[in-house]
Amino acid sequence: MRLRRLLLPATAVAFLTLAAPAVSQTPMDDPLDARDGRRLDRMEKVVRELRAIVYQGRDTGKPVVVQPAETDYQIQEMTRRVNDLEQSLTRLNGQIESLTHDLDQARRAGEAAQAQNKALTDRLTVLEQRAAQAEQPPAAMSDAAAPPPAAAGPSAAEAFAQARKLMLTGDYDTAERAWEDYVSRFGDSPKAPEARYWLGKTLAVRGAHADAAAAYIGAIRGWPQTSWAPDALVDLSRELVALKKPAAACQMLAEFDRRYPKAMPAAKSRAVAVRGQAKCA
């Protein structure tokens, strides 16, 4: 009996020894679920990053810049880009508003220029009509009241030469009457435009600016390509300045540059002077 009791523990030991491998081979449930596994992976990633930071500081001796977590950094980067886009949009809106304002001003300036051009055209038409009416001969009188026929006067060439001679001597009053007589008698002759040009000069001498402007308009009608035509256009612009019409003068001077690009230097210098008086842009 005692031997059985002594052998029993040995037998139990042997049984446990033989059963141990079987027990150790039995799989155990993993105490970590999937969420804990991800947390563990993140902790390991943080540990690796900290280790890299420590090694970087130790090896380089430079200050270690710790970047935020990847997700936070991306959010901050996206926020910065959104702010940049908002600032760019704000600048673009400001530029668009400025361009719209400039376009409105340009449109208003164009409308004002068109209105001013129409007004100038109307004034020139009225002046031309007045000049045409002045050139018309008076109505014929009845035979009973008609005076006796006068003696034949000088020819067109002689009348032109006489009026020009009076101007050269400085007798502008007599020259004015001579030019008026020439225009009245020989208004359709080839020299009539030039006669009106010289008539405008005599009228300008005594300050008859409106009449002088009308004479110059008659002289440059059709924009003749003669030696005196650029000077006539400059003189017309000067008379318009005297009549307080600087805008009209500036438009005439613009025509001067376009119609007479090969004008003499003296005429161009006078045009520059009158442009300054009119304060042309």
Side-chain angles (χ1 to χ4, degrees):
M1 180 64 73
R2 179 179 178 83
L3 179 58
R4 183 178 297 176
R5 284 196 297 267
L6 292 174
L7 291 175
L8 182 58
T11 304
V13 170
F15 176 78
L16 292 174
T17 302
L18 293 175
V23 173
S24 63
Q25 291 178 1
T26 301
M28 299 178 65
D29 294 335
D30 190 355
L32 299 176
D33 57 10
R35 184 177 58 185
D36 293 334
R38 288 194 297 270
R39 293 179 60 189
L40 182 59
D41 291 339
R42 287 197 295 270
M43 291 177 64
E44 290 178 352
K45 181 178 180 181
V46 171
V47 170
R48 287 195 298 271
E49 292 177 352
L50 291 174
R51 183 182 300 167
I53 291 170
V54 172
Y55 287 162
Q56 177 186 358
R58 184 190 66 185
D59 295 341
T60 62
K62 296 181 180 178
V64 178
V65 178
V66 180
Q67 298 289 349
E70 183 177 359
T71 303
D72 294 340
Y73 175 74
Q74 291 179 353
I75 293 175
Q76 293 178 4
E77 182 68 14
M78 291 178 65
T79 302
R80 182 184 63 80
R81 292 180 181 178
V82 170
N83 292 335
D84 292 342
L85 288 174
E86 289 179 350
Q87 293 177 0
S88 300
L89 288 175
T90 301
R91 289 194 299 269
L92 288 175
N93 289 334
Q95 293 175 358
I96 291 172
E97 291 178 357
S98 178
L99 289 174
T100 302
H101 178 69
D102 293 341
L103 288 174
D104 290 339
Q105 287 186 334
R107 178 177 56 79
R108 295 191 188 97
E111 292 174 354
Q114 290 179 355
Q116 192 174 29
N117 188 24
K118 184 179 182 302
L120 176 62
T121 302
D122 294 340
R123 294 192 189 101
L124 289 176
T125 302
V126 171
L127 291 174
E128 288 179 353
Q129 291 175 353
R130 291 178 181 175
Q133 291 174 358
E135 294 172 4
Q136 294 177 357
M141 293 182 294
S142 61
D143 294 339
S155 64
E158 292 172 345
F160 190 95
Q162 181 63 29
R164 189 79 174 89
K165 182 179 179 180
L166 291 170
M167 282 204 66
L168 293 176
T169 60
D171 188 357
Y172 292 106
D173 292 337
T174 308
E176 178 183 339
R177 292 191 294 273
W179 289 123
E180 287 178 344
D181 180 69
Y182 183 94
V183 170
S184 176
R185 295 176 58 198
F186 308 106
D188 296 331
S189 67
K191 282 285 190 178
E194 184 177 358
R196 292 187 179 90
Y197 165 61
W198 294 116
L199 174 60
K201 281 193 171 294
T202 60
L203 293 168
V205 168
R206 64 180 181 86
H209 302 297
D211 293 335
Y216 288 134
I217 289 174
I220 65 173
R221 185 181 303 161
W223 308 106
Q225 298 297 318
T226 60
S227 60
W228 52 265
D231 290 301
L233 184 54
V234 174
D235 289 335
L236 171 59
S237 303
R238 185 180 59 190
E239 295 306 313
L240 291 173
V241 173
L243 292 170
K244 308 299 183 183
K245 301 181 183 299
C250 292
Q251 291 186 355
M252 289 293 101
L253 292 171
E255 289 294 327
F256 173 86
D257 294 334
R258 188 167 68 91
R259 301 282 184 176
Y260 304 111
K262 297 181 180 180
M264 297 297 292
K268 291 183 177 180
S269 299
R270 293 177 60 234
V272 171
V274 177
R275 188 178 286 110
Q277 294 174 1
K279 298 180 180 180
C280 300

